[in-house]
Amino acid sequence: MSRLGRKPVALPEKVKVSVDGQTVNVEGPLGKLSYTAASDITIELGEDGKEVTVSRKNDSRTAKAMHGLTRALISNMVVGVDQGYEKRLEVVGVGYLAAIAGDVLQLRVGFANEVHKKIPSDLDVKCPDQTHIVVKGIDKQRVGQFAAEVRAVRKPEPYKGKGVRYQGERVKLKPGKAAGK
């Protein structure tokens, strides 16, 4: 049986959870999130309302796979509405910069034209300076997806390390052809 799936999800004081059949609604100080679980999964709210437990109805392969996943998704929703999620990116390279104009993230990363990425309405994207981007939101998947899309515009290249990278990401640099002599 899934060890992670059996562990109950503790609820902070400010977070309210309601379970309606297979749908879980989580509400907190930062917003609301909802998730509909697979039919093989049972979600129950604790008697005192301080924890959520996830169990499976049978031992089928899909039920086993969904058991831990469902518990992890509910846990991520609880953390998201309580504290939120954040990804930090840095733009490295001479002349490379990022800026925000309205609801569009503008990236100048060595192409002939600027790259424009529309910022989703449920995310808060800021540029504290021209070389840093901060993506914040309550949905862990949406924050990570948008940060990955921004990074994919110009991944760090292995010779000079120029491009968009996560803050703290280490890029292993290769020696150039002159170093082989």
Side-chain angles (χ1 to χ4, degrees):
M1 190 168 183
S2 171
R3 280 183 243 165
L4 180 65
R6 282 188 294 180
K7 188 177 177 186
V9 178
L11 301 177
E13 285 182 24
K14 304 173 208 160
V15 177
K16 293 182 177 62
V17 174
S18 63
V19 179
D20 182 30
Q22 298 301 103
T23 305
V24 181
N25 296 309
V26 181
E27 189 174 345
L30 297 180
K32 298 178 187 177
L33 289 172
S34 181
Y35 173 70
T36 303
S39 59
D40 295 341
I41 303 297
T42 306
I43 302 164
E44 296 170 344
L45 193 59
E47 293 146 18
D48 54 353
K50 301 271 186 198
E51 63 182 28
V52 176
T53 55
V54 179
S55 59
R56 58 181 185 242
K57 296 177 182 171
N58 56 42
D59 282 340
S60 70
R61 189 178 179 109
T62 56
K64 286 180 180 181
M66 296 302 289
H67 188 195
L69 172 73
T70 303
R71 189 256 176 216
L73 291 174
I74 292 170
S75 177
N76 289 343
M77 288 176 10
V78 168
V79 171
V81 297
D82 188 34
Q83 301 162 3
Y85 287 100
E86 175 181 281
K87 288 271 189 186
R88 293 177 171 269
L89 299 146
E90 46 190 22
V91 182
V92 178
V94 176
Y96 285 22
L97 57 91
I100 294 176
D103 64 343
V104 175
L105 175 66
Q106 300 171 335
L107 297 166
R108 240 183 266 162
V109 286
F111 298 125
N113 298 317
E114 280 187 354
V115 177
H116 296 271
K117 296 279 308 163
K118 181 146 174 44
I119 299 171
S121 59
D122 58 337
L123 296 181
D124 181 31
V125 179
K126 290 197 169 86
C127 288
D129 56 56
Q130 291 184 336
T131 59
H132 290 87
I133 304 166
V134 180
V135 182
K136 291 182 181 178
I138 60 173
D139 189 342
K140 186 176 187 177
Q141 193 274 330
R142 300 272 293 153
V143 170
Q145 181 68 37
F146 185 74
E149 287 172 7
V150 171
R151 182 181 181 271
V153 168
R154 186 74 164 215
K155 291 182 184 173
E157 54 95 19
Y159 294 100
K160 290 185 180 176
K162 298 191 312 184
V164 180
R165 62 175 83 168
Y166 296 114
Q167 190 166 343
E169 179 182 0
R170 295 181 48 89
V171 177
K172 187 174 179 188
L173 297 180
K174 295 179 181 178
K177 64 181 181 180
K181 293 183 180 181

